[in-house]
Amino acid sequence: GYLIQLLQVMKEETFIMYKLSQVPEEYKKKLITAEQAAALVRDGERVSYGLGCSAPYDIDIEIGKRAKSLHGVEIVASTIVKDEPYAAYLNSDSNDQIRFATGHMNGFERKMCKDGRCWFLPILFNELPKYWQHIDKLIIQVHPMDQWGNFNIGPQASDLRGLIRAAKMIILEVNQNMPKALGYETELNLCDVDYVVEGSNHQMPQIPNRPGTELDDKIADHIIPLIEDGSTLQLGIGGIPSAVGKKLAESDVQDLSGHTEMLVDSYVDLYEAGKITGKKNRDKGKIMYAFAGGTQRLYDFINDNQIVFNAPVSYINNIGVVASIDKFISINGCIDLDLYGQVNAETAGYQQISGTGGQLDFAQGAFASEGGKSFICVHSTRKFKDGHVESLIKPTLPQGTVITTPRSAVHYIVTEYGTALLKGKSTWERAEALINVAHPDFREELIKQAEKMGIWTQTSKVTM
């Protein structure tokens, strides 16, 4: 019996070795040019460019060259980290040729939206891998293949497994500059790939780590005292999270950890300052993230680094997972909010500016965490080009505004004038707390409007 088992093991090992010996040959069989890959896109197909830094470069240029001859093609993506428009967009004239859809909105996608060329996909980010049901072709950039035939998909495990499952055809564009992201579900084997293109190794898109403004610093000053030793941080992108990260790096707060949908340069700052030790009660020693975007310094930090752990967004943004991490701190921004505490982080009236992302996921998860806190930050006012100033805390949100985080899920609102705790507060108490952190020039008018709305009356303060 032992001999039979040994022979069986030897047979299996021989089979594996044989298969491995065929990897270079199979790779060559699947190798095509970017032009050939673009030629595979047919009329009426739905094509995905993936997420994060995965959007193809060379194949997109070639699709752009074919754009005017295509009909009814849709290109979809979600939260793409890219510093220039798609060639497929720049070289097409109408939606009859190529139309676009996105689960988020970066700068050039907003331009596409204004042009009537791009539609928004409303999502709860933690659910995204389950959304993808029909993708004709998945075209993404990846890290080069290893000796075992595995391609690392780069720092964007987020929803790529869902896209891989849904795709009828998978075309990879290999980029030597794509960082190798260690983690869970970060590998794709050659046997599951239809075609491979060796790209021109275009540099990863760079998102400058811009410093916070004076107002951002003031907002950060209100948050830092509420962050305890041993907290786990979720930081978004932008001036306020950057200011919080910088001030934490210079503070006395110790033993921080990271668990975030988007990994940004602030985490590198905190790690190099010795603030991140990973002593959390879940995924110890790991900075957990769903996708990354930042400077080359961030990509170098990610590359083949066991400390940063990439995982699907269905895990990272899972409310139960977040809630299970003690002292979880979520810090996000918004566009404006109203006196009920309803938060808009997506639209300016009818215009889509950004996406839901994981704001609601983390707002709920952080509050449910033992000792956790969720902060939504906003400047008290916005100044327009014509010189007029408006309050970003409004009596009610303008018509067409999308509610990103409902009033029932909001914990803290922070402006440069202070912190408003909304959980457990009545509508009158909420209005009072929000008016207290509004710009002083607008407080009297907000009180008058709150009175008209019936949430600020002479009997509001009466206690029984």
Side-chain angles (χ1 to χ4, degrees):
Y2 172 76
L3 182 59
I4 292 174
Q5 289 179 5
L6 179 61
L7 289 171
Q8 182 64 31
V9 169
M10 291 176 64
K11 181 179 178 182
E12 290 175 357
E13 288 180 347
T14 302
F15 174 74
I16 292 169
M17 289 175 64
Y18 171 78
K19 294 294 286 185
L20 289 175
S21 70
Q22 299 300 311
V23 167
E25 183 180 335
E26 289 299 313
Y27 181 87
K28 288 179 182 177
K29 287 180 181 178
K30 296 183 177 184
L31 195 61
I32 61 174
T33 66
E35 183 179 5
Q36 289 172 322
L40 294 169
V41 176
R42 310 295 185 196
D43 290 348
E45 289 191 332
R46 196 179 201 208
V47 177
S48 173
Y49 278 2
L51 180 141
C53 299
S54 70
Y57 181 74
D58 297 281
I59 300 175
D60 175 55
I61 289 174
E62 295 299 328
I63 291 174
K65 292 177 182 178
R66 294 189 58 216
K68 290 181 174 63
S69 66
L70 291 170
H71 180 75
V73 171
E74 181 180 48
I75 295 178
V76 298
S78 52
T79 323
I80 283 291
V81 177
K82 202 171 187 295
D83 45 16
E84 57 189 2
Y86 303 129
Y89 162 69
L90 293 175
N91 293 290
S92 57
D93 296 326
S94 73
N95 294 323
D96 291 336
Q97 297 163 353
I98 305 177
R99 63 183 183 273
F100 301 84
T102 180
H104 205 67
M105 283 280 171
N106 59 24
F108 72 80
E109 286 171 333
R110 284 193 285 273
K111 173 67 165 58
M112 290 162 62
C113 189
K114 285 183 178 179
D115 289 347
R117 300 291 308 282
C118 184
W119 282 263
F120 182 67
L121 299 168
I123 63 171
L124 285 175
F125 205 8
N126 78 86
E127 298 176 344
L128 189 56
K130 295 179 68 176
Y131 286 1
W132 304 119
Q133 300 299 322
H134 172 76
I135 300 293
D136 291 295
K137 291 183 173 67
L138 174 62
I139 306 177
I140 55 172
Q141 286 194 106
V142 295
H143 181 82
M145 186 181 75
D146 65 18
Q147 61 180 320
W148 314 106
N150 295 312
F151 297 90
N152 185 274
I153 61 175
Q156 47 258 336
S158 188
D159 70 324
L160 279 182
R161 191 56 57 181
L163 286 165
I164 289 165
R165 182 196 67 247
K168 294 179 181 178
M169 180 182 289
I170 298 174
I171 304 172
L172 304 184
E173 182 177 306
V174 177
N175 189 335
Q176 299 280 346
N177 291 315
M178 178 71 75
K180 182 179 181 181
L182 305 183
Y184 175 62
E185 294 191 348
T186 58
E187 305 294 328
L188 178 60
N189 194 269
L190 179 64
C191 67
D192 296 317
V193 175
D194 295 284
Y195 296 101
V196 178
V197 172
E198 291 183 343
S200 59
N201 301 314
H202 189 68
Q203 184 186 40
M204 288 293 99
Q206 305 289 305
I207 301 177
N209 186 27
R210 66 179 180 87
T213 64
E214 182 180 349
L215 291 184
D216 295 333
D217 286 342
K218 288 181 178 179
I219 290 172
D221 285 337
H222 293 303
I223 296 173
I224 299 299
L226 298 174
I227 299 177
E228 304 175 60
D229 291 351
S231 293
T232 294
L233 303 176
Q234 178 261 318
L235 298 174
I237 191 168
I240 294 172
S242 178
V244 170
K246 182 177 183 296
K247 287 182 176 290
L248 276 175
E250 298 168 351
S251 73
D252 295 329
V253 182
Q254 302 294 327
D255 290 330
L256 296 171
S257 297
H259 184 107
T260 186
E261 68 175 50
M262 184 174 185
L263 190 69
V264 294
D265 282 74
S266 291
Y267 287 94
V268 186
D269 297 335
L270 288 165
Y271 181 79
E272 291 183 347
K275 298 298 181 180
I276 291 183
T277 60
K279 295 180 182 179
K280 50 184 170 172
N281 60 308
R282 182 168 186 153
D283 301 318
K284 289 185 183 295
K286 305 290 187 184
I287 300 173
M288 304 292 295
Y289 70 103
F291 73 100
T295 66
Q296 190 59 46
R297 176 168 168 256
L298 174 67
Y299 301 133
D300 292 342
F301 180 66
I302 289 169
N303 189 52
D304 209 18
N305 185 355
Q306 289 281 358
I307 291 169
V308 279
F309 199 88
N310 196 200
V313 72
S314 52
Y315 178 82
I316 297 296
N317 285 37
N318 183 282
I319 294 170
V321 170
V322 174
S324 72
I325 303 171
D326 295 344
K327 297 181 181 179
F328 197 98
I329 301 294
S330 171
I331 301 173
N332 288 289
C334 71
I335 295 172
D336 50 20
L337 69 148
D338 65 18
L339 290 179
Y340 291 111
Q342 299 181 117
V343 171
N344 162 40
E346 300 181 47
T347 61
Y350 296 105
Q351 183 185 349
Q352 196 77 38
I353 299 296
S354 186
T356 304
Q359 183 173 120
L360 182 55
D361 301 334
F362 284 105
Q364 291 182 281
F367 180 73
S369 160
E370 184 67 34
K373 302 179 183 76
S374 166
F375 300 96
I376 295 178
C377 308
V378 64
H379 295 173
S380 65
T381 60
R382 178 187 293 119
K383 187 174 184 178
F384 290 83
K385 291 180 180 179
D386 63 5
H388 89 275
V389 178
E390 72 172 21
S391 174
L392 296 183
I393 297 176
K394 305 174 184 297
T396 57
L397 290 170
Q399 185 175 355
T401 301
V402 168
I403 303 301
T404 305
T405 303
R407 61 182 182 174
S408 53
V410 177
H411 194 184
Y412 288 94
I413 296 293
V414 189
T415 75
E416 68 271 27
Y417 290 101
T419 304
L421 171 61
L422 301 192
K423 283 286 188 180
K425 298 288 182 69
S426 69
T427 53
W428 179 85
E429 292 169 318
R430 283 167 170 257
E432 181 186 47
L434 290 169
I435 290 169
N436 281 340
V437 298
H439 193 286
D441 291 350
F442 292 91
R443 291 178 188 175
E444 287 302 318
E445 180 58 29
L446 286 170
I447 289 172
K448 290 178 183 178
Q449 293 300 319
E451 289 173 340
K452 290 181 181 179
M453 294 159 60
I455 54 173
W456 187 295
T457 71
Q458 291 181 347
T459 60
S460 291
K461 290 187 177 182
V462 174
T463 57
M464 303 301 291

